[in-house]
Amino acid sequence: MISILYSLTFFGHHMPWKAAYLLTYVGAILLIALPLMLAVAMIIYADRKIWAAMALRRGPNVVGPFGLLQSFADGLKVFLQETIIPAATNKGLFLLAPIITFTVALIVWAVVPFGPGLVVADINVGLLYVLAASSIGVYGVIISGWSSNSKYPFYSAMRAAAQMVSYEVSIGFVLLCVVLFAGTFNLSGIVLAQKGHGLGLINAFGVNPLLFPMAAVFFISSLAETARPPFDLTEAESELVAGYQTEYSSMSFALFWLGEYANVILMCGLNAILFWGGWLPPLNWAPLYLVPGIIWFLIKIWCFFFLFSWVKATVPRYRYDQLMRLGWKIFLPLSLIFIALVSGWLMVSGRIGGGV
Amino acid sequence: MIALAAFYLFASVMIAAAAFTILSRNPVHSVLWLILAFFNAAGLMVLAGAEFVAMLLVIVYVGAVAVLFLFVVMMLNIDLAEVRSGFTRYGLFGAAIAAVLATEVVVADEAWHSGALMLGARQAVTPDNMPNIQALGALLYTRYLYVFEGAGLVLLVAMIGAIVLTHRERSGVRPQKIGDQVKRRPSEAVRIVSDQPVGAGVEL
């Protein structure tokens, strides 16, 4: 992506190369961040529409054609509101928390490959970078809960911390299974390793009987990691008012929302990249490759978002002890067993273990 | 040039964050400063070309260890006056430890420069053109296999020890048995009471 942009913008121009590269990177970042914000606005609308349809309601249909501009109207509303900082808060941290949530949701996109070569930073520890960045995300919630100096946000922060740490463990093991099959931590490499993985015909790790259960575990864990229903205990309104966002208003509240949905889209993208072929077409058939990779990737993200929405509309919320039981007593042993199975199978079939 | 500027940026922010970790009065702020210090250490690792270690530093220390620190510290009800009184009591002791550590750093530096001990030489040089992870894995699983597995065993023992110490069998609790719930059928759960005479009440 960087090289394409670089040649597009600065080919033939007489510019110092350092300045040109700096500008190219800024351009690439904007090229991802701005459409992402637009996508977040539209995906909130889609979420509400899907949710409404499953509840036999109409959903947003007043602002703009089919209510398409609803999210922008909401955005304008919060933008024009006054930012209220309660007197008893820890002001610096109170303002820092939504910024952390939002920033972390954006920085992970740096390593997401949208197509062949369409990635800002093609680093070889890409998957670890994703894990590292998503593990910082919990601080936004914890800091907001503590600095609000209020009971419910604090409870919510405690829940969030425990929940995210628990599910990150099983997510880590699931990712290891994928890495064992792909042989690389680079996300583009993981996508390419899935080419023709299913009997030379299907471009997906998910059809592998050893990896399909892990795909399911990863999907459920990503619901928990983004605190989507049925794991939205951090903002369970019947128990905790609005959770860690209770004391927030105006743009600081909106930043939490944007960050949350950006994270949801990211998790949908990761599901697509790790198990369902990323920007590869679903079938390894030449005519399908004529469609640009980014289209396939966006379609896959959309499919996973529909699943996220479907789950939100239909599954009742977990109780806290059930959440912990699922994370520690079911997913953790299951993913550990599958690491043994996957590495054992790869050793037996002679695909790894030859030494370096 | 840029690398040098980045080094000084990371290093100075890290030292400042470490200082604030000790100096800040609020223990939660201390933990947050500590996290900033971890983060800048990860940045230094990236500059040194050890991107794998950098990522692990963030995942393990920032993502797990510091979260648990914060978790505990947030719940503590700390009386600042009491902490201050501790300062006068343990101040001398702390200063002694700091002096010992400083001396050791100086001695280590001198020993390295004296060269007689071959301390500065790398025992396992990273091959060129090989990603960090592969180089580390190739060494850990061949040359240092027993040490590596020994470290794993130590961690396993620590984990089992922690579980044994904190686990307690409680009597009188009725945990949820999801298997039983799923196995339950309408025939054993529903009782029709509509043929009861009016006012007779129901037996629960």
Side-chain angles (χ1 to χ4, degrees):
Chain A
M1 183 172 198
I2 290 302
S3 55
I4 299 171
L5 262 184
Y6 185 70
S7 56
L8 268 182
T9 337
F10 301 106
F11 190 68
H13 289 245
H14 300 287
M15 207 170 181
W17 66 270
K18 265 180 191 160
Y21 257 100
L22 188 69
L23 272 181
T24 317
Y25 268 102
V26 172
I29 290 167
L30 288 180
L31 207 59
I32 289 182
L34 295 183
L36 182 67
M37 287 301 99
L38 193 67
V40 165
M42 293 326 291
I43 215 100
I44 292 177
Y45 165 78
D47 200 17
R48 293 174 66 177
K49 271 291 190 194
I50 294 168
W51 201 10
M54 291 199 188
L56 297 181
R57 292 182 286 113
R58 282 177 190 279
N61 64 349
V62 175
V63 190
F66 309 106
L68 272 169
L69 300 178
Q70 179 66 46
S71 297
F72 299 100
D74 289 344
L76 192 66
K77 190 198 79 176
V78 291
F79 191 70
L80 294 175
Q81 275 176 338
E82 181 193 354
T83 306
I84 299 168
I85 303 176
T89 54
N90 197 315
K91 280 189 194 60
L93 291 180
F94 186 76
L95 290 175
L96 187 67
I99 298 174
I100 292 179
T101 305
F102 185 68
T103 314
V104 166
L106 282 184
I107 60 171
V108 188
W109 287 91
V111 295
V112 171
F114 289 91
L118 279 182
V119 49
V120 175
D122 202 13
I123 55 177
N124 58 19
V125 285
L127 202 50
L128 288 175
Y129 175 82
V130 171
L131 267 183
S134 73
S135 68
I136 306 166
V138 68
Y139 284 108
V141 181
I142 298 184
I143 293 175
S144 68
W146 182 78
S147 67
S148 293
N149 199 5
S150 163
K151 276 195 201 70
Y152 293 122
F154 188 65
Y155 282 139
S156 166
M158 294 281 109
R159 286 185 174 186
Q163 176 176 340
M164 292 191 183
V165 169
S166 318
Y167 279 84
E168 240 155 50
V169 178
S170 60
I171 281 188
F173 283 129
V174 170
L175 295 187
L176 275 188
C177 292
V178 175
V179 168
L180 279 171
F181 258 100
T184 173
F185 273 96
N186 182 305
L187 288 176
S188 303
I190 289 174
V191 170
L192 284 176
Q194 300 180 43
K195 195 167 181 176
H197 186 78
L199 305 172
L201 182 69
I202 304 168
N203 293 330
F205 275 153
V207 292
N208 188 322
L210 275 175
L211 285 177
F212 180 75
M214 289 299 95
V217 168
F218 186 74
F219 178 72
I220 298 170
S221 296
S222 53
L223 286 174
E225 188 73 9
T226 50
R228 286 280 290 190
F231 304 108
D232 59 340
L233 286 136
T234 54
E235 43 200 284
E237 56 279 80
S238 55
E239 305 156 21
L240 294 178
V241 196
Y244 55 90
Q245 304 163 343
T246 305
E247 306 289 344
Y248 282 86
S249 60
S250 159
M251 272 316 278
S252 49
F253 178 77
L255 279 185
F256 272 123
W257 264 80
L258 291 174
E260 238 171 63
Y261 272 90
N263 260 332
V264 168
I265 302 177
L266 176 82
M267 275 298 175
C268 297
L270 277 183
N271 269 298
I273 289 172
L274 294 173
F275 291 100
W276 304 100
W279 39 263
L280 293 172
L283 295 179
N284 194 10
W285 182 47
L288 289 180
Y289 285 93
L290 294 176
V291 181
I294 187 166
I295 303 280
W296 289 119
F297 186 53
L298 293 180
I299 290 175
K300 284 172 187 176
I301 289 185
W302 165 246
C303 291
F304 273 103
F305 186 76
F306 182 75
L307 283 181
F308 268 59
S309 234
W310 190 357
V311 170
K312 177 177 177 170
T314 48
V315 182
R317 182 179 291 136
Y318 264 56
R319 213 172 53 207
Y320 196 69
D321 60 317
Q322 294 171 331
L323 176 93
M324 284 294 148
R325 175 179 173 275
L326 186 69
W328 289 105
K329 289 188 175 171
I330 297 174
F331 281 177
L332 182 61
L334 192 70
S335 48
L336 260 176
I337 289 169
F338 267 86
I339 283 198
L341 283 180
V342 164
S343 48
W345 164 249
L346 289 174
M347 290 280 271
V348 167
S349 63
R351 288 173 57 181
I352 56 171
V356 181
Chain B
M1 219 285 282
I2 293 175
L4 198 67
F7 170 78
Y8 280 114
L9 177 73
F10 286 137
S12 53
V13 173
M14 182 172 144
I15 291 173
F20 278 119
T21 307
I22 305 168
L23 294 177
S24 77
R25 297 187 172 178
N26 191 326
V28 173
H29 291 181
S30 284
V31 176
L32 293 174
W33 284 116
L34 182 68
I35 291 161
L36 187 64
F38 283 148
F39 222 79
N40 283 281
L44 286 177
M45 291 292 178
V46 171
L47 284 183
E51 70 270 9
F52 179 59
V53 179
M55 292 302 155
L56 276 196
L57 197 65
V58 175
I59 293 172
V60 174
Y61 283 92
V62 178
V65 173
V67 170
L68 294 182
F69 274 4
L70 204 55
F71 206 93
V72 173
V73 168
M74 277 189 339
M75 308 255 251
L76 294 178
N77 193 6
I78 293 174
D79 184 6
L80 284 177
E82 204 173 307
V83 177
R84 289 282 155 66
S85 74
F87 182 76
T88 49
R89 247 172 71 206
Y90 301 116
L92 205 64
F93 188 57
I97 291 179
V100 169
L101 285 177
T103 320
E104 279 183 354
V105 168
V106 173
V107 169
D109 188 52
E110 288 301 313
W112 186 4
H113 284 299
S114 70
L117 287 171
M118 291 287 291
L119 278 174
R122 282 186 172 185
Q123 293 294 306
V125 183
T126 317
D128 288 340
N129 307 325
M130 191 188 245
N132 234 282
I133 302 178
Q134 280 183 22
L136 257 177
L139 276 173
L140 281 183
Y141 290 105
T142 54
R143 183 159 162 185
Y144 297 113
L145 180 65
Y146 295 116
V147 185
F148 183 62
E149 293 195 334
L153 270 182
V154 170
L155 285 177
L156 182 67
V157 169
M159 192 177 82
I160 294 173
I163 293 173
V164 168
L165 284 177
T166 54
H167 186 72
R168 57 194 167 115
E169 287 288 345
R170 282 186 299 172
S171 57
V173 285
R174 293 161 65 192
Q176 183 182 23
K177 291 178 187 135
I178 289 181
D180 290 359
Q181 290 179 344
V182 174
K183 256 186 283 170
R184 204 158 175 237
R185 290 287 162 263
S187 55
E188 55 198 87
V190 180
R191 193 159 45 89
I192 295 163
V193 292
S194 59
D195 52 353
Q196 291 247 359
V198 174
V202 233
E203 193 188 324
L204 288 172

